[in-house]
Amino acid sequence: MRPASPVSVVIAAAAALAAVTGCTEKSDAKDGGNVVKVTATDDKCEVSTKEFPAGHVELAVENKGSKVTEVYVLFPDDRVVTERENIGPGTRQRVTAEVKAGDYQIACKPGMKGAGIRQAVKATGGKAVKRDPRLDKAVADYRAYVQQQADETLPLAETFAKAVKDGDIEAAKKAYAPSRIGWERTEPVAESFGDIDPKVDVREDGLEDGQDPATDWTGWHRLEKSLWQDKKTGDREKELADRLITDLTDWRERVGKADITPTSMANGAKELLDEVATGKVTGEEERYSHTDLVDFKANVEGAQKSYELLKPVAQENDKALTTELDKQFAALNTLLDKYRPSTTSYEFTSYDKVGKADRKELSDAVNALAEPLSKLAAAVVVK
């Protein structure tokens, strides 16, 4: 979960994404018409009801504030049920989520930072969500995919950490981007835990108010700065390398227990495109290493994996949507292939070598995919 960037191109990208809706404008009457209106301002988060039937719930979000905001549905322990980032001032978005009976909080985060302004809500009733059996398999297959990515990430991260601890800056630089691929493919699952992402993937400008970069900034990007800008691996960097492995081991052990539903898979795919639009396309994510296109490709692969698993059901419910998604995924992947020597290679052009016009082309391709992808969650809800 990354902060909004002050750079104008980020604001433009967020504005473009903010026009995208998370589901159809009309709720499914067969699902009980579960619509919760969320009105966000710079200092309020108002909900139309604090109690609603469990099942497929639609958040109709309107940002009446002056800041870009995020809206979350949270479990009591702050795990994320669903979220939508980059909701621009004066815009509306709709998000479909599967919510079981229980207590939750709806949080608005003006400026996309902090704990947010929260409202306690309750989902009532014990009726199980009606779900196509193929979606249960999609969830199981996606859970296995996420676990595989975590399992494969840890040894790559250990190679990176060892190079840092050995003081081998060039080896650490070489190992840095590969160590992040599995994380970037499955980042929404990691973010759903609430506490892991800020430890391993936060940028310096993403620290919360009151946090000290000297002591509180940890993870990949802190080490990225040391390697590329400061050109050093001292005692603090060695300590942070060990800390990164500890936190990623925690992630690996927890991903198999993540709360995953078909709608969270679909919304997670959209979140990955948002990550691209507000970080990778702008160059803000990997500002020292310029390995943004590696992350970019991994985000797209993760989003496409979710889509492909959900596609059999989505195609029956909305053939036009899946046709458009197939087209836009293919177009974006073809465009990315221009920046690597081989489609079997994960070596990409350094992003500081990608000009303004080419970045605009990439941004347009991301937005062209994000618009239909935002409708995927509604397409997998049983009608």
Side-chain angles (χ1 to χ4, degrees):
M1 291 174 278
R2 297 184 175 82
S5 168
V7 181
S8 59
V9 68
V10 178
I11 296 173
L17 287 167
V20 175
T21 57
C23 61
T24 55
E25 287 295 315
K26 190 177 294 184
S27 297
D28 179 20
K30 292 182 180 179
D31 196 42
N34 292 4
V35 178
V36 179
K37 296 179 181 179
V38 182
T39 304
T41 68
D42 293 346
D43 55 10
K44 293 182 181 179
C45 186
E46 299 177 342
V47 296
S48 60
T49 179
K50 294 188 176 181
E51 189 169 306
F52 47 83
H56 287 117
V57 177
E58 183 180 313
L59 300 184
V61 183
E62 182 175 7
N63 183 5
K64 292 187 175 182
S66 63
K67 302 176 182 177
V68 176
T69 196
E70 302 172 337
V71 172
Y72 292 77
V73 178
L74 300 169
F75 288 104
D77 60 2
D78 270 10
R79 285 179 298 121
V80 178
V81 178
T82 195
E83 65 177 289
R84 181 56 52 85
E85 302 179 0
N86 302 307
I87 306 172
T91 65
R92 301 180 182 188
Q93 294 198 30
R94 300 175 81 93
V95 188
T96 299
E98 184 176 315
V99 181
K100 300 176 182 177
D103 294 322
Y104 298 90
Q105 291 184 322
I106 292 177
C108 305
K109 295 188 179 183
M112 305 206 327
K113 295 184 73 171
I117 305 161
R118 303 189 175 200
Q119 294 279 6
V121 296
K122 179 186 289 289
T124 60
K127 186 177 179 180
V129 172
K130 185 179 179 182
R131 182 189 291 175
D132 188 306
R134 290 173 295 178
L135 294 177
D136 290 325
K137 184 177 187 307
V139 169
D141 288 348
Y142 184 68
R143 190 182 300 279
Y145 171 75
V146 172
Q147 186 67 63
Q148 178 188 24
Q149 294 305 308
D151 290 343
E152 293 177 357
T153 292
L154 197 60
L156 294 170
E158 288 172 340
T159 297
F160 169 64
K162 182 179 185 303
V164 171
K165 293 165 66 176
D166 288 345
D168 191 337
I169 291 178
E170 290 308 311
K173 285 182 176 181
K174 185 177 180 180
Y176 172 76
S179 75
R180 291 176 49 74
I181 293 171
W183 172 273
E184 291 291 340
R185 285 172 176 158
T186 60
E187 190 167 4
V189 175
E191 289 184 344
S192 73
F193 297 120
D195 61 333
I196 297 178
D197 184 81
K199 295 177 182 177
V200 306
D201 198 37
V202 72
R203 302 192 306 256
E204 186 172 8
D205 55 337
L207 295 173
E208 301 294 342
D209 292 340
Q211 287 189 304
D212 183 352
T215 56
D216 299 320
W217 187 19
T218 61
W220 271 302
H221 294 303
R222 167 63 176 80
L223 291 167
E224 178 202 6
K225 182 180 180 183
S226 291
L227 293 170
W228 272 272
Q229 178 169 292
D230 303 334
K231 298 178 172 53
K232 70 173 186 178
T233 56
D235 291 342
R236 177 58 175 163
E237 285 71 30
K238 294 173 183 178
E239 176 187 332
L240 289 169
D242 282 334
R243 169 78 179 271
L244 177 64
I245 299 306
T246 297
D247 291 335
L248 289 176
T249 300
D250 182 28
W251 165 57
R252 184 186 66 176
E253 292 173 353
R254 291 164 67 181
V255 293
K257 303 172 185 176
D259 196 281
I260 299 173
T261 66
T263 54
S264 74
M265 288 170 59
N267 289 328
K270 173 62 169 61
E271 289 168 36
L272 285 170
L273 265 291
D274 287 354
E275 292 281 345
V276 173
T278 60
K280 284 72 174 181
V281 165
T282 65
E284 292 291 294
E285 178 78 0
E286 306 288 359
R287 60 190 66 173
Y288 308 108
S289 66
H290 305 300
T291 56
D292 303 87
L293 287 174
V294 176
D295 293 358
F296 191 140
K297 179 63 175 177
N299 284 159
V300 173
E301 286 177 337
Q304 191 163 8
K305 181 66 175 182
S306 291
Y307 165 59
E308 293 292 348
L309 290 172
L310 297 171
K311 181 180 175 180
V313 173
Q315 186 167 283
E316 288 184 8
N317 291 336
D318 194 339
K319 181 66 163 59
L321 175 64
T322 56
T323 298
E324 183 65 13
L325 284 170
D326 288 342
K327 173 185 172 183
Q328 297 302 338
F329 267 118
L332 182 53
N333 280 313
T334 297
L335 186 57
L336 281 170
D337 286 345
K338 290 172 49 178
Y339 298 97
R340 58 177 175 168
S342 166
T343 56
T344 60
S345 168
Y346 239 92
E347 294 181 10
F348 284 83
T349 301
S350 181
Y351 203 58
D352 58 335
K353 307 299 183 185
V354 179
K356 184 177 180 181
D358 289 331
R359 292 189 183 199
K360 175 65 163 55
E361 184 182 26
L362 287 164
S363 179
D364 288 345
V366 170
N367 289 334
L369 174 57
E371 192 281 325
L373 194 58
S374 71
K375 301 173 184 176
L376 181 59
V380 297
V381 172
V382 175
K383 300 295 190 286

